[in-house]
Every structure is written in C-alpha cells, then in structure tokens.
Amino acid sequence: MTTTVGRFISFEGTEGVGKTTAIEGLCQRLQAAGIDYVRTREPGGSPFAERLRAILLDPATDINDDTELLLLFAARADHLQQVILPALQRGAWVICDRFTDSTIAYQGYGRADGDQRVLAKIDSLIAQFISPLPELTLWLDLPVLEGMARAGKRSKADRFEQQATAFFTRVHHGFSMLAMQHPERIERIDANGSSDEVGGRIWQTVQARFNLG
Ligand code: T5A
C-alpha cells in the first residue's frame, strides 16, 4: 500500500454532464482556500497517457474491446505513477476528470452490458495495478439526452461520442450501480441547473467530506 497525504477526488458522469465546468469551479475554490492541487484527467494526464488518449478518442482507431480496455489501463498506470502519486505524496490534492469508475461504466456496461466476466476483468486490473483509488468521487447525474445536448453544441464527435444513445443509457446505469455499491465513496450530485448551482452543491459536499471551514 502506497502512503499518501493529499486528497484524491474524481469526477464522473456521462457525456457533457458538466465535469470540466464543475472542476474549473472547484479548483477556483481550492485556490481561494489556499489548497495546493493538481488538476488532471483520464484518459490522459501524463505525456504518454495523452498520446494514448489521442489514439483512444480518434474515430479512425479500429480496435476491439480488450485492446481498448488494456490501452485505458496502460494510460492509467502511467498517469498514476507520473502525476497522481507524486502529487499526493507531496500533500497536494488531485482533482481528476474521470478514473476507474469510467472504465466500469463505459467498458463494463456501455460496451459489455454488465457482463460479469468483463466486470471481473476490470476489477482484477484495478486490484493489480491501481492504488490508491479516489477517496471521494463526485458523480454528476444528468439525463443522458440532456448531457448529449450540452456536449453536442461543441465540435465534431470523438470515437466515444459517436456511440448510439443506448450505449450511454447503459453507461448511466453503470454509474448508478457503482453509486449503490460504493455509497461511502461516491456522492451523487444533481447536475441539473446552472453551473453556479451545481458548483455550490459540489463545494458543500467537498467541505463536508474534508471538514473545510
Ligand atoms: N472513457 C474514459 C472511457 O470509455 N473509459 C475510461 O476509462 C475513461 C477514463 C473522454 C471519453 O473517454 C471515455 C469517456 C469519454 O467518452 P472526456 O474527455 O471526459 O472523456 O469526455 P466527456 O465526458 O465527453 O467530456 P465533456 O468535455 O464532453 O463533458 P463534461 O466535461 O462533462 O462537460 P463540460 O463541462 O465540458 O460541459 C459541456 C457543455 O455544457 C455546458 C458547458 O459550457 C459546455 O458547453 N455546461 C452547462 N450548461 C448548462 N448548465 C450547466 N450546469 C452546465 N455545465 C456545463
């Protein structure tokens, strides 16, 4: 077990729920509170993992589900070693846009429809290669179509965004299953409303969890 002193927070949710916007708001509040933090994301976050991200998101990439899963974990292992662990060890907070729950939701439920063999493969990769896990995960919950409408206002779709609505409905189900299974870690945040309202809910949750004044 690796010893760390910083706080590790991940943000999760289906496409376009407002993670990037919410993370921006949280980081501003952490800065105002004088808390040292590192903002990062998955897939990506380290130079090598960002190269894998480009491949994973490229619509021209033609790979099978196992290859996709292993690339995600290769990216995550590098990101953890190069960025997350050093930050936590020096006492900084790590704010990460997506982490292992995205793999369970997207690859385990979106791709594999909750197939127990695939979920077991993912659990085994987590157990072997990924430590620590986030202490707090903020799941931004919004109806799938509303998130897609928010995301759809931007540029052209990446390889995941090109999936059909049914895929994202399964992903959403995956996140709700995870929230039920890990109530001690995963907080559901209602992502309806303005970004100020959502940001306020997130800050309240973070303050309460980490006893911030
Ligand atoms: N993936 C990732 C896997 O399949 N497995 C894995 O293990 C991992 C780690 C990339 C893709 O990789 C997949 C999942 C993803 O498909 P990503 O870069 O996080 O992951 O991609 P997205 O989730 O698509 O991120 P987005 O940037 O699209 O969405 P966000 O960050 O949730 O939303 P955000 O903040 O950019 O907001 C979207 C739009 O809505 C507006 C914003 O201004 C923006 O225009 N908005 C709001 N509008 C109204 N009200 C609010 N409260 C709003 N908040 C934001």
Side-chain angles (χ1 to χ4, degrees):
M1 172 73 80
T2 314
T3 307
T4 59
V5 287
R7 303 292 194 189
F8 185 9
I9 302 176
S10 62
F11 277 71
E12 296 284 3
T14 43
E15 309 293 299
V17 290
K19 292 176 285 85
T20 309
T21 309
I23 288 172
E24 183 66 42
L26 175 61
C27 288
Q28 283 172 11
R29 286 177 147 119
L30 292 177
Q31 191 158 10
I35 293 170
D36 182 16
Y37 67 87
V38 169
R39 174 181 175 173
T40 189
R41 68 174 181 180
E42 291 216 339
S46 63
F48 177 71
E50 287 290 329
R51 288 166 68 186
L52 292 182
R53 177 188 176 95
I55 293 169
L56 282 159
L57 267 54
D58 183 351
T61 298
D62 184 13
I63 49 177
N64 74 18
D65 291 354
D66 279 345
T67 309
E68 178 178 273
L69 183 62
L70 292 170
L71 283 178
L72 284 161
F73 271 92
R76 181 163 296 138
D78 189 68
H79 181 211
L80 194 58
Q81 292 304 322
Q82 301 293 330
V83 175
I84 297 176
L85 274 171
L88 292 174
Q89 282 165 349
R90 76 175 156 83
W93 290 34
V94 171
I95 312 300
C96 192
D97 190 341
R98 301 191 179 281
F99 203 62
T100 45
D101 296 317
S102 275
T103 315
I104 295 169
Y106 279 77
Q107 280 61 49
Y109 285 86
R111 294 267 188 242
D113 200 9
D115 183 326
Q116 289 304 319
R117 287 164 304 183
V118 175
L119 292 173
K121 264 189 218 174
I122 299 171
D123 281 347
S124 151
L125 286 165
I126 294 171
Q128 288 180 73
F129 297 109
I130 308 301
S131 175
L133 292 174
E135 290 172 79
L136 173 64
T137 295
L138 298 158
W139 168 39
L140 271 57
D141 186 14
L142 190 71
V144 168
L145 291 178
E146 284 179 44
M148 288 170 86
R150 285 182 185 176
K153 290 184 189 145
R154 290 176 322 198
S155 55
K156 71 178 185 283
D158 66 34
R159 201 168 64 86
F160 291 100
E161 288 166 346
Q162 289 182 339
Q163 296 296 318
T165 309
F167 174 90
F168 296 108
T169 303
R170 293 195 296 276
V171 171
H172 184 272
H173 175 63
F175 282 124
S176 47
M177 295 294 287
L178 281 162
M180 267 194 316
Q181 289 159 3
H182 303 284
E184 74 299 339
R185 173 174 64 84
I186 301 180
E187 291 277 357
R188 175 189 171 275
I189 304 288
D190 179 1
N192 284 289
S194 70
S195 34
D196 280 352
E197 287 168 330
V198 178
R201 288 174 202 138
I202 288 168
W203 186 232
Q204 270 188 351
T205 305
V206 170
Q207 281 181 304
R209 176 64 68 109
F210 298 117
N211 298 317
L212 298 179

